[in-house]
Amino acid sequence: MSRLVMKFGGTSVGNAAAISALAAITREQLHTWQQVVVVVSAMSGVTDMLLNGAHSAASGDQTSYKEIGARLREKHAAALAELVPNAAAAVATSTAIEQLIDEFELLCHSVGVLGEASPRAIDAISSLGERMSVRLVAAALNAHGTRAEAIDATEIVVTTPHFGTAVPLQPHTREHTRARLLPLLEHGVVPVVTGFIGATEHGATTTLGRGGSDYSGAIVGAALDADEVAIYTDVDGVMTTDPRLSPDARVIPTISFAEMGELAYFGAKVLHPRTIRPVVEHGIPLRIRNTFNPAHPGTLVVSEPVANGRPIKAVTTIKSMSMITVEGRGMIGVPGVAARTFGAVASVGANVLMISQASSEQSICFVIPQNVSAAVVKALEEGLASELARRDVDRIAPRESVVIVTAVGAGMRETPGVASQVFSALAEQKINVIAIAQGSSECSISVVVSSADADAAVRAIHALTI
Ligand code: ADP
Ligand code: ASP
Ligand code: MG
């Protein structure tokens, strides 16, 4: 039995033409694979529209969400009319989508009445995009002669109740996914599953985080013991850098799980960072491919790195960061300062992306998203109040508007002098390096530079991949 799970992103279901391409790929893959599952994102822009509706309603605006509702109706109806021209065949799908938009308006209305959008309400609202797109895609597949059924992942992906960042619970998800999808697959039906969403054990809808449909593809692939998970997107594969930043970006034919993990973690939007783990654990090959150029083989993510003669394979960046420095001569040898520092950071739920400590132990610096910087500084001032009073800690200093630029490549483990190549390349462009860290897997080096230097730093390091 051969089984393929394909995930299609927002642009890959963004309009009727894209969904037709998806249908053609699915038909084609059914010649190679006996069983195929399709996981889809919301149509591009839809999750943002839903969230804007929720937030504007929460702030007392009772009209914007209605306008958004009208635009959503138009967008989905236009695609459906093109994909399923036979009105009688389209009616069940169009009714189901209309009902989901009614639900959106009702939820926004309630949020408006309450004057607040709870994380749970936000998830109920933002999940609707995928719930609409699966219906549209399943209808298109059926109209193209491929038997398909829309499935809400709330039926199969069981998650923790962390709304907005839910994590699947393994045994339950596996059991539900297999019970729901295997009978369909055995009957030659293509399940079309919502990406991005799941539900708690009590049935409350959750989401896995923005961009989380990739993760859904991996979760479903792992639960079904798929032979391959393919992530279809709008570029030919994983590239040496974001093609939007550099026209010289090239596709990387094979990359290791570890390298891909570092790239995704440090900002390469092409793959959600959590996608890697479920496929690695099950030894499932992962491929990144282009919906709009299906003949291209894409990038294959494999367990062992494949040397390409270059220690640096790719470069990536995360923008809008702050670097916080906790500094003080009294920190030397005082146990527990680091623990209290990161305890304070964790208390506000901030995600620390990078840490570096000077060998003198006189300072610890770490990088967090800029939007939580003020809250983190406040928590640090409270958490380290006694150290500040004793002057063991002199300063808690945030530096705003920085970016992390990361060079990735397993080759740097064996090749001496890679770090110095990176720093020379930056120095040549007169870019000031604010902090440095090396990934624990030794296949990445990250530098912190000012936002103003971000693009130049990426270009300078990218030149080393060529
Ligand atoms: P989807 O909607 O299919 O999930 P995303 O927009 O989330 O697509 O991810 C694809 C985008 O990721 C590409 O259009 C590209 O601009 C961006 N990207 C960032 N870094 C890379 C990289 N290293 N390789 C390829 N694409 C990248
Ligand atoms: N639709 C969701 C988002 O926009 C999930 C995804 O596209 O992967 O974040
Ligand atoms: Mg994505």
Side-chain angles (χ1 to χ4, degrees), residues 226 350 450:
S450 142

Side-chain angles (χ1 to χ4, degrees), residues 182-193:
L182 289 181
L184 294 176
L185 290 168
E186 275 149 23
H187 286 92
V189 175
V190 173
V192 182
V193 182

Side-chain angles (χ1 to χ4, degrees), residues 410-435:
M412 62 178 72
R413 222 175 278 161
E414 292 92 38
T415 319
V418 176
S420 80
Q421 276 180 43
V422 169
F423 301 131
S424 308
L426 295 170
E428 260 168 45
Q429 300 301 316
K430 306 208 165 25
I431 296 165
N432 179 35
V433 175
I434 302 167

